[in-house]
């Protein structure tokens, strides 16, 4: 029985960028985060090919939209291998429909935090208009900021997609992302499509 290994190839950061971006994650740190068995950097493809026992004539599956898009290969490491750029994407798309218990838990947590952030956003909007004389100005991007702030408080530092906050006629634009208009009153219709990401999982939360 042959046991397959998960070999991760990570981009190598120029050491001069450490002062700007922080020190690059070590191999052990990358293994801990991704679950990879072996980690190489992208200037070590020869080691990665050795690790998977690549032989001449074998197919290399490349997740790419470009035909035969192999990594930069000045030394001819991939010479004799056959790149395949469509099958892997299809397999990965199918695999996303099957969730492990851990993945389901991540999605539920992201959904709970995102749902609570939506509630906090509407409460913020209600307070903005309630009893304010004259009525204060409320902007779409202000509601967007409330959502992002609430999810960040819970440790979800990234959104799964750009937030849509459309007031009035903007609510009818399917992918409205400008979020720079005013909410006119407490009776104005506001459509929000926003979801935070947690460990690669993002819920699709929409409220109006």
């Amino acid at each position: 029985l042959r046991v397959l290994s998960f070999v991760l190839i990570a981009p190598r950061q120029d050491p001069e960028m450490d002062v700007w971006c922080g020190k690059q994650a070590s191999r052990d740190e990358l293994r801990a985060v991704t679950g990879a068995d072996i980690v190489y950097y992208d200037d070590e493809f020869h080691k990665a090919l050795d690790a998977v026992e690549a032989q001449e004539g074998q197919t290399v599956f490349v997740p790419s939209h470009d035909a035969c898009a192999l990594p930069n290969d000045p030394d001819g490491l991939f010479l004799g291998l056959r790149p395949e750029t469509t099958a892997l994407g299809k397999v990965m798309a199918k695999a996303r429909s099957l969730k492990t218990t851990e993945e389901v838990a991540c999605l539920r947590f992201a959904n709970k935090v995102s749902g609570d952030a939506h509630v906090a956003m509407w409460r913020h909007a209600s307070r903005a208009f309630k009893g304010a004389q004259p009525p204060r100005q409320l902007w779409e991007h202000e509601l967007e900021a409330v959502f992002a702030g609430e999810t960040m408080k819970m440790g979800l530092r990234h959104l799964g997609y750009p937030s849509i906050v459309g007031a009035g006629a903007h609510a009818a634009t399917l992918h409205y992302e400008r979020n720079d208009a005013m909410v006119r009153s407490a009776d104005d219709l506001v459509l929000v499509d926003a979801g935070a990401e947690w460990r690669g999982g993002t819920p699709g939360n929409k409220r109006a």
Side-chain angles (χ1 to χ4, degrees), residues 46-199:
H46 60 292
K47 295 181 180 179
L49 291 174
D50 288 343
V52 298
E53 300 179 359
Q55 303 292 326
E56 184 173 353
Q58 283 187 334
T59 299
V60 176
F61 293 96
V62 182
S64 173
H65 297 293
D66 301 322
C68 299
L70 284 171
N72 185 30
D73 186 24
D75 299 321
L77 298 173
F78 293 92
L79 189 64
L81 297 177
R82 297 177 297 175
E84 210 297 327
T85 61
T86 59
L88 187 58
K90 294 177 182 178
V91 171
M92 292 175 66
K94 185 176 181 179
R96 291 190 183 101
S97 66
L98 304 174
K99 306 296 184 187
T100 65
T101 301
E102 292 77 11
E103 289 172 327
V104 171
C106 288
L107 283 170
R108 285 177 173 166
F109 179 61
N111 187 63
K112 174 66 166 59
V113 173
S114 297
D116 290 345
H118 276 271
V119 172
M121 184 170 44
W122 298 129
R123 286 175 176 168
H124 178 87
S126 177
R127 289 193 297 268
F129 291 112
K130 188 175 182 180
Q133 293 296 331
R136 56 155 291 190
Q137 292 182 336
L138 179 66
W139 297 85
E140 294 168 342
H141 54 72
E142 182 178 343
L143 295 176
E144 178 185 13
V146 172
F147 179 86
E150 290 296 318
T151 56
M152 283 190 173
K153 287 179 184 177
M154 297 300 296
L156 282 67
R157 298 180 54 204
H158 303 286
L159 301 180
Y161 48 88
S163 296
I164 297 172
V165 184
H170 293 153
T173 302
L174 295 180
H175 280 242
Y176 174 77
E177 297 176 6
R178 288 172 53 184
N179 303 347
D180 60 357
M182 187 185 300
V183 182
R184 301 292 177 180
S185 71
D187 297 322
D188 207 357
L189 173 67
V190 181
L191 174 71
V192 176
D193 185 350
E197 176 184 323
W198 177 245
R199 295 181 178 176

Side-chain angles (χ1 to χ4, degrees), residues 6 8 10 12 23-41 44:
F6 170 18
L8 174 68
R12 171 93 67 180
K23 189 176 180 180
Q24 180 170 28
S26 68
R27 298 177 199 270
D28 288 340
E29 290 170 333
L30 290 171
R31 276 195 291 267
V33 171
T34 64
D37 298 303
I38 308 171
V39 175
Y40 295 114
Y41 294 107
E44 300 175 314

